Amino acid sequence: MEQEKLLLQIEEELVQGDRKAMLAHCSEALDGGVKARTLLDNALIPGMRRVSEKFHSAEGSVPEIMLSSRAMNEAVELLRPYILQARGDIHGRVCIGTVAGDLHDIGKNLVAMVLESEGFEVIDLGVDVTPEQFVETAVAEKCDIICCSALLTTTMPVMKEVVEAVRKAGLHDQIKVMIGGAPVSEAFAQAIDADGYSGDAVSAGETARKLLKMIRLTE
Ligand code: B12
């Protein structure tokens, strides 16, 4: 199948939650020389955007969303070795997680993968991560950036607690906090004094590089 058609097919299968067919087509694409990043940017991310819209318009049901979510996370796992193989030098270290009380992990996983592909060592703390866990890991693993994801408006305040915990520990010169997730905005990031915000996984790499430069300048 030609590349463009295959990417469209994968996107459609993700939206339909047809996990087996989608994973088989992802493997076919990778075997045929399609880059993992192309698959991510041109099939999986647009597909997951459509799943989110379906949910908003009440066209999609929770079981359907669960099927697409599982398919998406398995596709990310399938792509990961290809992403790691293709990446160049390591520029910095980040730890990433979805904040306490929040179990949404698809966006977080995408951001982790993009950062890995753009030369960051990524420590993934998973979901339901407390401010203490973020800070303790960042210190123990010598991370430059803490990345927090939140999808629920009720869990967004945890991000403020992470920012405050870093400052309280006197670590703000060494460790920056970057936030994101569907309900999060640039204005919210500024209001809680977070160091960086990105609205999507693709621009997260650029924001992380900017934060890294800020840290290196103050060293
Ligand atoms: C999939 C989904 C689920 C799945 C999650 C599966 C999983 N493994 O993650 C399931 C079905 C389990 C689920 C459960 C729930 N969900 Co839900 N869910 C969604 C849905 C449809 C899509 C989210 C998603 O994955 N989007 C795709 C990804 C790729 O987008 P993203 O996460 O926004 O990430 C992108 C950017 O935001 C950014 N980004 C994300 N994180 C970060 C981090 C950093 C550092 C940076 C820089 C960038 C960044 O980059 C990503 C890629 O471009 C949304 C609808 C929506 N429009 O968001 C509702 C939604 C988030 N859920 C919602 C709700 C209410 C719930 C439940 C409470 C439902 C319930 N009653 O049980 C539970 C919560 C459980 C919990 N404690 O967390 C509401 C939240 C409303 C609100 N105001 O808070 C939403 C908005 C649906 C709605 N319209 O009502 N959900």
Side-chain angles (χ1 to χ4, degrees):
M1 211 187 294
E2 69 183 70
Q3 180 172 323
E4 210 172 308
K5 258 195 185 161
L6 192 53
L7 292 176
L8 278 175
Q9 175 96 16
I10 291 168
E11 179 183 328
E12 194 55 41
E13 285 159 353
L14 174 61
V15 176
Q16 299 306 327
D18 189 350
R19 184 172 59 92
K20 279 197 180 145
M22 190 208 65
L23 292 172
H25 280 128
C26 284
S27 296
E28 184 186 326
L30 292 166
D31 290 345
V34 177
K35 290 205 171 70
R37 220 15 230 274
T38 306
L39 257 179
L40 198 60
D41 293 350
N42 300 329
L44 300 177
I45 292 181
M48 211 48 222
R49 205 173 292 134
R50 279 174 58 198
V51 173
S52 303
E53 283 160 11
K54 244 170 95 172
F55 201 74
H56 264 312
S57 63
E59 211 188 290
S61 65
V62 171
E64 278 173 6
I65 307 283
M66 296 282 279
L67 287 176
S68 298
S69 302
R70 184 174 166 203
M72 180 69 190
N73 278 340
E74 288 188 20
V76 166
E77 279 311 305
L78 180 74
L79 260 55
R80 197 156 176 261
Y82 294 85
I83 294 276
L84 291 181
Q85 204 184 9
R87 80 169 163 185
D89 295 340
I90 301 293
H91 306 300
R93 282 167 85 79
V94 310
C95 62
I96 189 166
T98 304
V99 298
D102 203 323
L103 305 176
H104 294 86
D105 66 355
I106 298 168
K108 183 265 296 169
N109 293 345
L110 285 175
V111 173
M113 175 158 287
V114 166
L115 292 178
E116 277 186 324
S117 86
E118 298 197 4
F120 285 86
E121 200 87 67
V122 177
I123 295 138
D124 190 342
L125 295 170
V127 296
D128 201 14
V129 184
T130 62
E132 295 73 27
Q133 285 172 303
F134 275 116
V135 177
E136 276 165 22
T137 307
V139 171
E141 301 284 345
K142 297 189 170 46
C143 293
D144 306 291
I145 305 170
I146 294 175
C147 296
C148 303
S149 179
L151 264 290
L152 299 173
T153 45
T154 48
T155 59
M156 285 165 65
V158 181
M159 294 174 153
K160 185 167 191 263
E161 292 173 34
V162 177
V163 170
E164 285 170 354
V166 169
R167 285 167 195 252
K168 208 171 148 201
L171 296 167
H172 187 229
D173 280 348
Q174 298 111 277
I175 302 173
K176 302 295 176 198
V177 180
M178 175 169 144
I179 64 171
V184 179
S185 64
E186 180 79 58
F188 176 75
Q190 280 180 14
I192 66 163
D193 275 335
D195 303 292
Y197 159 79
S198 278
D200 60 68
V202 179
S203 58
E206 200 183 314
T207 308
R209 278 194 299 277
K210 275 191 200 150
L211 293 180
L212 208 54
K213 263 195 197 151
M214 275 168 65
I215 298 170
R216 302 287 187 252
L217 281 175
T218 53
E219 268 174 0

